[in-house]
Amino acid sequence: QVQLVQSGAEVKMPGSSVKVSCKTSGGTFRRNTVSWVRQAPGQGLEWLGRISPYVGTRNYAQKFQGRVTIIADKFSDTAYLELSSLRSEDAATYYCAIDGGFGYFDPWGQGTLVIVSS
Amino acid sequence: EIVLTQSPGTLSLSPGERATLSCRASETINNNYLAWYQQKPGQAPRLLIHGASSRATGVPDRFSGSGSGTDFTLTISRLEPEDFAVFYCQQYGSSPMYTFGQGTRLDIK
């Protein structure tokens, strides 16, 4: 069964960077794409970007271009999201999710809460 | 960027009733690549429907999706107590620029 397990909550200062991990199991890493989606408290869902680890392609939402980096470690089947120049509006729960090649997301990780506070 | 507008914002119904949720796109969604998700408090979203009308694995058949072009609907035929949650639509027709609707909250009346 496919599972995604994310790293724990983070508290960051404004202007700093955060790196969130997403470890996959079940053999999905090799043939799928991993996307990152965030959700601010009480708000909706927002797609940040995706990576296809074995093809080597990345795509980012225009809004986050220049601030977001998504990488993948094929040896540990883990994807990472790094977001820089954090501001208060970046406080959210960040989810990773498997995109099976079509663009819909199933399954999802449990989410990582990122708090941005001075 | 394709903008998705969901309506109503909140829907209050009783168990056993039928729920109809709408998702309207600002332009035609290629191949009807529209998905629906359910999210309960404190949980990650769960895929219900993809390709506008295909149920995901394990999703009860009281959930159905329909529509094409710019207008899509999620119907829950007879509400069960566990169905009350927030529902989001998502388009993936303009891959890889994915967008979500703002959500519809389904409350118990």
Side-chain angles (χ1 to χ4, degrees):
Chain A
Q1 186 175 356
V2 177
Q3 276 197 311
L4 290 78
V5 179
Q6 299 184 222
S7 49
E10 301 265 9
V11 180
K12 293 293 180 179
M13 298 277 287
S16 68
S17 297
V18 68
K19 191 171 185 179
V20 181
S21 69
C22 171
K23 181 168 175 58
T24 68
S25 60
T28 58
F29 210 65
R30 289 164 180 77
R31 57 182 184 272
N32 285 317
T33 297
V34 177
S35 270
W36 288 90
V37 176
R38 77 178 185 180
Q39 186 172 39
Q43 302 300 308
L45 302 168
E46 184 172 35
W47 181 75
L48 287 87
R50 70 176 191 180
I51 187 167
S52 299
Y54 278 74
V55 177
T57 56
R58 296 177 183 81
N59 304 98
Y60 300 127
Q62 190 168 6
K63 174 179 177 179
F64 301 100
Q65 290 275 1
R67 279 211 303 144
V68 67
T69 304
I70 297 174
I71 62 174
D73 179 349
K74 291 182 283 189
F75 299 103
S76 64
D77 288 357
T78 301
Y80 297 88
L81 168 78
E82 184 166 24
L83 188 63
S84 62
S85 303
L86 290 171
R87 31 211 191 226
S88 57
E89 312 90 87
D90 294 318
T93 297
Y94 288 76
Y95 295 99
C96 60
I98 293 292
D99 163 0
F102 295 97
Y104 57 86
F105 307 128
D106 183 41
W108 295 60
Q110 84 276 19
T112 297
L113 178 64
V114 174
I115 297 169
V116 182
S117 174
S118 53
Chain B
E1 172 183 301
I2 295 179
V3 176
L4 299 179
T5 302
Q6 293 186 239
S7 61
T10 302
L11 186 58
S12 296
L13 294 170
S14 301
E17 291 192 293
R18 180 186 187 90
T20 303
L21 286 68
S22 173
C23 176
R24 177 164 290 178
S26 59
E27 56 190 89
T28 296
I29 296 177
N30 293 330
N31 301 307
N32 293 326
Y33 280 171
L34 192 285
W36 289 94
Y37 300 87
Q38 178 191 49
Q39 187 179 33
K40 297 180 180 179
Q43 296 184 17
R46 168 199 178 199
L47 177 70
L48 297 174
I49 302 287
H50 60 89
S53 60
S54 298
R55 263 189 306 275
T57 303
V59 174
D61 60 8
R62 62 181 180 274
F63 290 91
S64 63
S66 63
S68 64
T70 61
D71 288 299
F72 299 87
T73 300
L74 174 70
T75 302
I76 311 171
S77 58
R78 284 181 57 86
L79 286 165
E80 298 286 343
E82 63 267 26
D83 296 340
F84 292 90
V86 180
F87 294 83
Y88 295 96
C89 57
Q90 176 230 342
Q91 69 79 24
Y92 50 101
S94 59
S95 176
M97 295 300 119
Y98 307 131
T99 52
F100 291 90
Q102 83 281 14
T104 290
R105 180 182 210 91
L106 179 58
D107 284 343
I108 299 179
K109 191 172 182 180

